[in-house]
Amino acid sequence: MESQQLKQFVKDKIDDMKGRDVVELDVRGKSSITDTMIICSGNSKRHVSSIAENVMVEAKNAGHAPGSVEGKETGEWVLVDFGDVILHVMQDETRDFYQLEKLWS
């Protein structure tokens, strides 16, 4: 899957699970580990974990399994690494605290 297709795929799968406040950040030149970060919010620990799980399962079914996943057990902040795209699914309190959009903008 090409990078642009992967970004749209991830955003579509977030939308399928009613993820909120989706933001796409271009971090080329700012990060050596990825080109794009996609950040979204979930309503609860279970919702955050479910959004991340849906994206992972659907990506695997499409032949683009993530390289690694962190935080799925706690559900506060789940990071899904697809290489060119990193997905951050967060609860509102965690997102407000870390302010990734501000950090990487």
Side-chain angles (χ1 to χ4, degrees):
M1 209 179 298
E2 176 197 303
S3 183
Q4 192 63 33
Q5 290 174 316
L6 179 60
K7 288 188 281 190
Q8 190 58 52
F9 179 87
V10 169
K11 289 191 281 188
D12 289 344
K13 299 310 165 194
I14 292 168
D15 189 53
D16 290 348
M17 295 298 293
K18 308 295 187 231
R20 297 180 288 102
D21 304 323
V22 179
V23 174
E24 178 182 326
L25 300 174
D26 183 348
V27 294
R28 288 177 290 194
K30 297 176 186 175
S31 171
S32 61
I33 59 171
T34 192
D35 293 337
T36 304
M37 289 187 188
I38 298 175
I39 305 167
C40 72
S41 295
N43 299 325
S44 65
K45 290 180 181 185
R46 181 170 288 185
H47 191 215
V48 167
S49 294
S50 295
I51 293 168
E53 179 70 22
N54 182 61
V55 173
M56 291 184 305
V57 168
E58 294 295 332
K60 185 175 180 183
N61 290 341
H64 199 81
S68 65
V69 178
E70 299 291 333
K72 190 166 173 285
E73 302 76 31
T74 61
E76 295 284 334
W77 176 359
V78 181
L79 181 147
V80 184
D81 184 354
F82 291 103
D84 290 346
V85 176
I86 292 181
L87 169 63
H88 298 273
V89 186
M90 309 169 93
Q91 288 192 49
D92 289 330
E93 301 81 27
T94 306
R95 190 169 177 176
D96 290 342
F97 182 79
Y98 288 100
Q99 298 182 9
L100 293 183
E101 294 95 330
K102 187 176 179 182
L103 179 68
W104 288 101
S105 293

